[in-house]
Amino acid sequence: MTIPTRTLGGDLSVGAVGLGCMSFSPSYGGFEGVDPTEVIGRAIDLGATMLDTADVYGPHTSELAVGTAIAGRRDEVVVATKFGIVSGPRPGHTAEVNGTPEYVRSSVEGSLSRLGIDHIDLYYQHRADTHVPIEETVGAMAELVTEGKVRFLGLSEASVDTIRRAAAVHPIAALQSEWSLWSRDLETEIVPTCRELGIGIVAFSPLGRGFLTGRITSVDDLPERDMRRAHPRFRGDAFDANLSSVDVVRAIADECGAKPGQVAIAWLLAKGPDVVPIPGTKRIAYLEENLGAVDVRLSSDDIARLDAVTAVGPRSLDPDWVNRSTPSLAG
């Protein structure tokens, strides 16, 4: 298996499929009994060079795991992390967003320390702070580039207006947003805007939080502490309806000689050379399966059938996810 590279923002070269490292936090039931260094090391070996994490994952456990895993391999990876979501006072409590210049500076120092590196390759604002002009936040982020602490800047789940205003201050290399067969809302305005401005798109939750793999047939398949047990798409009638949509993905996978999850990722890869999915996993077998999506070739008919797949239920627990989020749900 050879993972080709793709370019974000015109200059940042990464593996066509990255590794989302939110799995190395409590959000998906914890990772007891799993060695993140083995999983991350295997990802690097296979060419999945982009490792995506955030200070709020855990908080801090994911960054610490990534830092340990890349010790001695820094030059082989593109480290992407995020700041801006401030952990709430207790688990599950609604968190706040902080985009002040002072918080930008304090956050980068914390991430650099936990990751054990002297610069971050791609630094995202995790969510826009509605109380701080984006120009001020990105201005502070740009100073980090000047100082050599950050190479490229990114935004996550930003609106078209925010993207344009941010890009007017400093080039934005990537927008990270949820994009999958189940989450298509960014295709109408956000994707065209990013392409107009030369901004790459990093797709988180490309497997619909694991549902599109076809391996989840009951909520009982999820660990007891897994946040998906409370997710609208994994509950009641919505769960049953969404199982039916996965049948379409499974049928195409059978025709292609692939796994359902590989088809879901291949569909995203077919959306353009500026798209980099970052599926997360804590199992080497699933990692290798996900990366195998680069070898799946979908026909135009396959893509049309997949385009018609929809999901029942909102994609987030919090209806005001643009401006507020919880640590467990932040992509």
Side-chain angles (χ1 to χ4, degrees):
M1 181 194 308
T2 302
I3 307 299
T5 59
R6 292 190 165 191
T7 302
L8 300 173
D11 295 303
L12 181 59
S13 179
V14 299
V17 179
L19 177 63
C21 296
M22 187 177 175
S23 299
F24 307 120
S25 74
S27 300
Y28 290 96
F31 57 100
E32 295 81 1
V34 174
D35 185 353
T37 297
E38 290 186 1
V39 179
I40 293 171
R42 183 59 175 157
I44 300 169
D45 291 342
L46 293 173
T49 58
M50 185 176 184
L51 306 176
D52 182 88
T53 182
D55 58 3
V56 77
Y57 296 165
H60 302 162
T61 57
S62 177
E63 285 188 328
L64 289 167
V66 171
T68 299
I70 65 173
R73 306 193 69 173
R74 177 65 182 96
D75 293 341
E76 301 176 63
V77 297
V78 172
V79 178
T81 192
K82 299 178 282 291
F83 77 92
I85 295 179
V86 184
S87 182
R90 60 183 183 276
H93 189 274
T94 298
E96 297 178 351
V97 175
N98 190 335
T100 63
E102 295 78 14
Y103 192 73
V104 171
R105 185 161 295 280
S106 65
S107 294
V108 77
E109 297 299 340
S111 289
L112 288 170
S113 176
R114 286 184 291 273
L115 291 163
I117 57 181
D118 63 5
H119 70 274
I120 294 164
D121 297 299
L122 178 57
Y123 200 41
Y124 293 100
Q125 182 184 23
H126 210 153
R127 294 292 187 274
D129 186 339
T130 56
H131 301 294
V132 178
I134 189 64
E135 291 82 358
E136 292 185 16
T137 304
V138 174
M141 294 168 71
E143 291 177 1
L144 302 179
V145 176
T146 301
E147 295 169 11
K149 294 181 179 181
V150 171
R151 291 177 60 210
F152 295 91
L153 303 185
L155 303 173
S156 180
E157 295 280 88
S159 67
V160 167
D161 178 64
T162 297
I163 294 168
R164 289 192 180 280
R165 289 166 56 196
V169 175
H170 188 278
I172 302 297
L175 172 79
Q176 182 174 139
S177 193
E178 183 169 356
W179 194 6
S180 73
L181 292 168
W182 273 8
S183 300
R184 310 284 301 280
D185 50 292
L186 79 168
E187 293 179 1
T188 303
E189 296 183 349
I190 292 177
V191 171
T193 298
C194 286
R195 287 177 171 160
E196 174 193 336
L197 298 172
I199 299 171
I201 303 152
V202 176
F204 76 79
S205 293
L207 297 174
R209 294 181 170 82
F211 214 134
L212 295 170
T213 65
R215 285 189 287 266
I216 301 172
T217 59
S218 164
V219 71
D220 294 330
D221 293 334
L222 303 174
E224 185 176 345
R225 293 184 292 118
D226 195 303
M227 62 129 181
R228 289 172 291 182
R229 284 179 171 266
H231 197 287
R233 292 181 178 176
F234 287 76
R235 302 181 69 183
D237 293 341
F239 186 96
D240 295 334
N242 289 327
L243 278 179
S244 297
S245 69
V246 173
D247 288 340
V248 177
V249 184
R250 184 180 288 109
I252 293 174
D254 289 343
E255 295 165 12
C256 294
K259 301 289 187 181
Q262 292 176 327
V263 167
I265 295 171
W267 173 84
L268 267 173
L269 291 171
K271 291 299 177 180
D274 55 353
V275 179
V276 176
I278 51 168
T281 184
K282 48 195 170 188
R283 308 291 180 187
I284 289 178
Y286 294 161
L287 166 73
E288 294 175 345
E289 178 180 309
N290 292 341
L291 298 183
V294 299
D295 294 324
V296 176
R297 298 292 177 264
L298 300 175
S299 68
S300 57
D301 179 64
D302 293 333
I303 292 173
R305 290 161 64 191
L306 291 167
D307 283 345
V309 170
T310 59
V312 174
R315 71 182 180 95
S316 174
L317 277 171
D318 186 352
D320 192 22
W321 55 267
V322 173
N323 297 323
R324 297 187 296 119
S325 185
T326 62
S328 64
L329 286 179

